[in-house]
Amino acid sequence: MFVAGNWKMNKTVKETKDFFNEFNKLVSKTKNEILICPSFPCIPAAKQFASKKVFIGAQDAFFEEKGEFTGKVSFLQLKDFCDFVLLGHSDQRHKFSESNQSINKKIKTALKFNFNVILCVGETLEEKEEEKTNLVLSEQLSDSLKGIFFNSKLFVAYEPVWVIGTGKTAKQNDVFEAHSFIRSQLTELFGEKANSTKILYGGSVKPENCKEIFSIKNVDGVLVGGASLNPKTFAQIANTAK
Ligand code: PGA
């Protein structure tokens, strides 16, 4: 399983160091792969203090390489520190109105700089209630991946927006159906090779529900927000076997 943590806009450099002092010991025997995405100022500290077992990633980056883009950070600047990036997270899509077109440009630049990309997709509660989940997922996937060929560095994370940070959990069958649909869309875009693309599930993943989530077909891992902030709870998830 691939267990990714998204710290969002949390933790200082000192808190990052304290986290890894505890976390490294707790996950020394895990067979799962672990990724942590801190916010930009904590990425160098994470790289320094995380054990070699833990991959470090960014939560976003801009598609241009350099220039007059105040407040933005490029893949060129990040590549000395990390080689993973989350793109299209629902915070970006819904709180900062990010479009699939912008995400598409970012994925292209990220792959050019050899980053592993976790493309996040997912429907809002309103879209779910209108039974538009598949429509939304297919649009997000085809528009975000337009002009992109199969790449083993591309992951997809399915995160229903209404489950993120709410403590609610999606029904096992909903997760199964969404992941199967995503797999079929990826196969349409990339052919049989897409069977190897990792599809993560995200949204209120906790130590109590991760085992059940791991057992669902086409779930290759999880993307964890809130529960990744505490070394003990995140280690519990990272140590859970399929
Ligand atoms: P959550 O966040 O685990 O706190 O719901 C998940 C995410 O936003 O990636």
Side-chain angles (χ1 to χ4, degrees):
M1 288 285 127
F2 193 93
V3 179
N6 171 14
W7 282 357
K8 309 188 183 178
M9 200 174 71
N10 291 294
K11 293 199 191 291
T12 60
V13 168
K14 176 172 185 312
E15 287 165 343
T16 300
K17 183 177 175 195
D18 292 346
F19 175 94
F20 283 110
N21 275 342
E22 192 172 347
F23 185 72
N24 289 342
K25 290 178 223 139
L26 296 173
V27 296
S28 61
K29 295 202 175 71
T30 183
K31 301 258 182 318
N32 292 328
E33 291 177 289
I34 306 171
L35 164 71
I36 292 185
C37 300
S39 46
F40 293 131
C42 296
I43 290 177
K47 190 81 196 156
Q48 183 182 350
F49 297 111
S51 80
K52 294 286 162 278
K53 267 193 138 116
V54 182
F55 299 111
I56 302 299
Q59 298 168 16
D60 189 34
F62 193 51
F63 48 79
E64 295 289 351
E65 284 173 33
K66 58 182 173 183
E68 294 172 26
F69 303 103
T70 303
K72 297 295 176 199
V73 173
S74 74
F75 291 100
L76 176 68
Q77 293 171 308
L78 278 174
K79 78 179 177 58
D80 290 331
F81 303 99
C82 61
D83 50 9
F84 272 84
V85 67
L86 305 178
L87 291 175
H89 186 273
S90 83
D91 285 344
Q92 290 292 333
R93 290 180 187 271
H94 299 290
K95 295 179 186 160
F96 305 112
S97 309
E98 178 154 43
S99 66
N100 288 316
Q101 287 67 32
S102 155
I103 296 163
N104 178 253
K105 288 189 197 167
K106 289 179 178 179
I107 298 176
K108 285 178 177 160
T109 314
L111 294 174
K112 181 175 149 197
F113 281 98
N114 264 324
F115 274 75
N116 296 279
V117 173
I118 301 182
L119 165 64
C120 305
V121 295
E123 81 287 0
T124 62
L125 184 57
E126 201 182 350
E127 289 161 344
K128 180 184 164 56
E129 284 171 352
E130 290 171 5
E131 297 184 4
K132 287 188 182 150
T133 300
N134 286 358
L135 189 72
V136 171
L137 294 178
S138 90
E139 213 171 86
Q140 289 177 339
L141 287 168
S142 60
D143 291 355
S144 305
L145 295 172
K146 207 179 198 141
I148 292 168
F149 295 105
F150 172 80
N151 194 310
S152 57
K153 288 180 177 278
L154 180 77
F155 297 48
V156 174
Y158 170 60
E159 300 199 296
V161 180
W162 51 280
V163 180
I164 297 177
T166 60
K168 289 185 187 156
T169 34
K171 289 199 195 90
Q172 209 173 333
N173 196 46
D174 289 347
V175 178
F176 167 74
E177 282 185 1
H179 279 240
S180 306
F181 181 73
I182 291 168
R183 179 78 68 205
S184 71
Q185 292 298 109
L186 292 173
T187 308
E188 254 178 53
L189 289 170
F190 300 130
E192 290 304 306
K193 283 183 181 164
N195 283 331
S196 64
T197 301
K198 284 191 169 63
I199 308 176
L200 315 182
Y201 173 75
S204 297
V205 176
K206 311 179 263 263
E208 301 78 50
N209 62 14
C210 65
K211 183 117 188 147
E212 185 183 326
I213 294 166
F214 286 169
S215 72
I216 304 172
K217 186 161 182 250
N218 277 323
V219 171
D220 303 301
V222 285
L223 177 54
V224 187
S228 72
L229 292 171
N230 180 304
K232 287 192 188 66
T233 50
F234 194 49
Q236 272 177 274
I237 299 172
N239 286 326
T240 301
K242 189 178 163 133

mmCIF file of all heavy atoms in Angstrom, residues 6 8 89 159 163-165 203-205 223-226, ligand 1:
data_model
loop_
_atom_site.group_PDB
_atom_site.id
_atom_site.type_symbol
_atom_site.label_atom_id
_atom_site.label_comp_id
_atom_site.label_asym_id
_atom_site.label_seq_id
_atom_site.Cartn_x
_atom_site.Cartn_y
_atom_site.Cartn_z
ATOM 1 N N ASN A 6 -0.956 14.503 3.781
ATOM 2 C CA ASN A 6 -1.022 15.886 3.310
ATOM 3 C C ASN A 6 -1.200 16.773 4.537
ATOM 4 O O ASN A 6 -2.271 16.780 5.141
ATOM 5 C CB ASN A 6 -2.218 16.014 2.344
ATOM 6 C CG ASN A 6 -2.510 17.448 1.958
ATOM 7 O OD1 ASN A 6 -1.693 18.343 2.185
ATOM 8 N ND2 ASN A 6 -3.680 17.676 1.369
ATOM 9 N N LYS A 8 -1.260 19.966 4.682
ATOM 10 C CA LYS A 8 -1.943 21.235 4.385
ATOM 11 C C LYS A 8 -1.163 22.400 5.032
ATOM 12 O O LYS A 8 0.056 22.322 5.111
ATOM 13 C CB LYS A 8 -3.401 21.165 4.820
ATOM 14 C CG LYS A 8 -4.070 19.901 4.244
ATOM 15 C CD LYS A 8 -5.539 19.825 4.449
ATOM 16 C CE LYS A 8 -6.033 18.501 3.893
ATOM 17 N NZ LYS A 8 -7.450 18.282 4.066
ATOM 18 N N HIS A 89 -5.623 19.196 -5.746
ATOM 19 C CA HIS A 89 -6.311 18.895 -4.480
ATOM 20 C C HIS A 89 -7.598 19.719 -4.388
ATOM 21 O O HIS A 89 -7.655 20.847 -4.892
ATOM 22 C CB HIS A 89 -5.392 19.210 -3.294
ATOM 23 C CG HIS A 89 -5.995 18.781 -1.995
ATOM 24 N ND1 HIS A 89 -6.845 19.596 -1.287
ATOM 25 C CD2 HIS A 89 -5.914 17.616 -1.317
ATOM 26 C CE1 HIS A 89 -7.248 18.945 -0.203
ATOM 27 N NE2 HIS A 89 -6.696 17.740 -0.200
ATOM 28 N N GLU A 159 -10.800 11.618 -3.973
ATOM 29 C CA GLU A 159 -11.192 12.204 -2.692
ATOM 30 C C GLU A 159 -12.547 12.876 -2.847
ATOM 31 O O GLU A 159 -12.635 14.005 -3.355
ATOM 32 C CB GLU A 159 -10.163 13.254 -2.263
ATOM 33 C CG GLU A 159 -8.766 12.696 -2.085
ATOM 34 C CD GLU A 159 -7.913 13.619 -1.231
ATOM 35 O OE1 GLU A 159 -7.644 14.752 -1.640
ATOM 36 O OE2 GLU A 159 -7.551 13.202 -0.115
ATOM 37 N N VAL A 163 -16.255 14.339 1.935
ATOM 38 C CA VAL A 163 -15.707 13.484 2.990
ATOM 39 C C VAL A 163 -14.453 14.105 3.601
ATOM 40 O O VAL A 163 -14.075 13.811 4.725
ATOM 41 C CB VAL A 163 -15.387 12.073 2.412
ATOM 42 C CG1 VAL A 163 -14.811 11.165 3.468
ATOM 43 C CG2 VAL A 163 -16.644 11.437 1.829
ATOM 44 N N ILE A 164 -13.812 15.029 2.852
ATOM 45 C CA ILE A 164 -12.531 15.588 3.293
ATOM 46 C C ILE A 164 -12.713 16.470 4.528
ATOM 47 O O ILE A 164 -13.476 17.429 4.507
ATOM 48 C CB ILE A 164 -11.870 16.411 2.161
ATOM 49 C CG1 ILE A 164 -11.557 15.495 0.978
ATOM 50 C CG2 ILE A 164 -10.610 17.099 2.662
ATOM 51 C CD1 ILE A 164 -10.965 16.208 -0.211
ATOM 52 N N GLY A 165 -12.014 16.094 5.582
ATOM 53 C CA GLY A 165 -11.993 16.896 6.805
ATOM 54 C C GLY A 165 -13.313 16.930 7.556
ATOM 55 O O GLY A 165 -13.462 17.684 8.513
ATOM 56 N N GLY A 203 -9.932 11.086 2.266
ATOM 57 C CA GLY A 203 -11.107 11.707 2.879
ATOM 58 C C GLY A 203 -11.379 11.043 4.214
ATOM 59 O O GLY A 203 -11.899 9.923 4.251
ATOM 60 N N SER A 204 -10.994 11.727 5.312
ATOM 61 C CA SER A 204 -11.224 11.222 6.671
ATOM 62 C C SER A 204 -10.719 9.790 6.880
ATOM 63 O O SER A 204 -11.360 8.995 7.571
ATOM 64 C CB SER A 204 -12.715 11.318 7.024
ATOM 65 O OG SER A 204 -13.122 12.674 7.024
ATOM 66 N N VAL A 205 -9.557 9.478 6.306
ATOM 67 C CA VAL A 205 -8.943 8.171 6.569
ATOM 68 C C VAL A 205 -8.315 8.226 7.960
ATOM 69 O O VAL A 205 -7.635 9.189 8.317
ATOM 70 C CB VAL A 205 -7.868 7.824 5.505
ATOM 71 C CG1 VAL A 205 -7.168 6.517 5.854
ATOM 72 C CG2 VAL A 205 -8.501 7.744 4.113
ATOM 73 N N LEU A 223 -4.631 8.735 0.863
ATOM 74 C CA LEU A 223 -4.112 10.095 1.045
ATOM 75 C C LEU A 223 -4.790 10.644 2.305
ATOM 76 O O LEU A 223 -6.020 10.746 2.352
ATOM 77 C CB LEU A 223 -4.435 10.950 -0.189
ATOM 78 C CG LEU A 223 -4.030 12.424 -0.142
ATOM 79 C CD1 LEU A 223 -2.554 12.604 0.178
ATOM 80 C CD2 LEU A 223 -4.330 13.097 -1.491
ATOM 81 N N VAL A 224 -3.974 10.945 3.305
ATOM 82 C CA VAL A 224 -4.494 11.243 4.637
ATOM 83 C C VAL A 224 -4.214 12.702 5.007
ATOM 84 O O VAL A 224 -3.066 13.148 4.914
ATOM 85 C CB VAL A 224 -3.802 10.326 5.679
ATOM 86 C CG1 VAL A 224 -4.440 10.493 7.050
ATOM 87 C CG2 VAL A 224 -3.836 8.868 5.235
ATOM 88 N N GLY A 225 -5.222 13.436 5.426
ATOM 89 C CA GLY A 225 -5.032 14.818 5.868
ATOM 90 C C GLY A 225 -4.864 14.869 7.372
ATOM 91 O O GLY A 225 -3.787 14.618 7.910
ATOM 92 N N GLY A 226 -5.962 15.148 8.075
ATOM 93 C CA GLY A 226 -5.949 15.341 9.532
ATOM 94 C C GLY A 226 -5.148 14.298 10.301
ATOM 95 O O GLY A 226 -4.325 14.648 11.157
HETATM 96 P P1 PGA B 1 -8.713 14.442 5.632
HETATM 97 O O1 PGA B 1 -8.042 15.162 4.341
HETATM 98 O O2 PGA B 1 -8.017 13.117 5.798
HETATM 99 O O3 PGA B 1 -8.470 15.371 6.766
HETATM 100 O O4 PGA B 1 -10.162 14.268 5.299
HETATM 101 C C1 PGA B 1 -7.688 14.443 3.188
HETATM 102 C C2 PGA B 1 -7.110 15.350 2.135
HETATM 103 O O5 PGA B 1 -7.558 16.498 2.021
HETATM 104 O O6 PGA B 1 -6.206 14.975 1.373
#
